[in-house]
Amino acid sequence: MQNNMKVILYSRTFMAIIGGVIAGILGLTSLTGFIFYFLVMAMTSVALTAKAKFSIHSYFDSWNRILLDGFFGGLMSFVLFWTFAYDIVHIF
């Protein structure tokens, strides 16, 4: 189960970085950028659930693990790469 939790953390961090870069390139600002983050994290949760073949309790303790773990840590990575990509593409 610890390995599965590491996979969730790495997956959310990776998707937050990729989502931040995409949001920056698309030029999303303010609330639309954060809505995009929530959509990316929802898609990540669905993908992780599908990867577990929808039998969550075989691989994780509870639904909260797959839905919420790494959510706010990913938010910080998202904002960092969002602003970085936005500045590179739209300001410079």
Side-chain angles (χ1 to χ4, degrees):
M1 294 233 178
Q2 283 183 334
N3 186 39
N4 295 339
M5 297 311 299
K6 287 180 186 177
V7 168
I8 286 178
L9 181 65
Y10 294 146
S11 298
R12 287 205 186 273
T13 303
F14 179 73
M15 290 304 295
I17 291 169
I18 297 300
V21 170
I22 291 171
I25 291 171
L26 292 176
L28 301 178
T29 57
S30 69
L31 190 58
T32 57
F34 288 107
I35 291 171
F36 184 76
Y37 174 73
F38 290 121
L39 290 174
V40 168
M41 287 299 114
M43 289 183 342
T44 303
S45 295
V46 169
L48 289 170
T49 305
K51 181 71 175 170
K53 298 180 183 130
F54 299 99
S55 68
I56 300 301
H57 294 291
S58 299
Y59 299 99
F60 304 103
D61 295 340
S62 67
W63 280 93
N64 290 337
R65 295 283 188 197
I66 201 163
L67 293 177
L68 298 176
D69 274 1
F71 188 80
F72 290 111
L75 181 62
M76 297 302 126
S77 298
F78 175 82
V79 170
L80 175 71
F81 282 89
W82 176 24
T83 55
F84 182 66
Y86 185 87
D87 288 346
I88 288 175
V89 173
H90 297 283
I91 293 177
F92 296 119

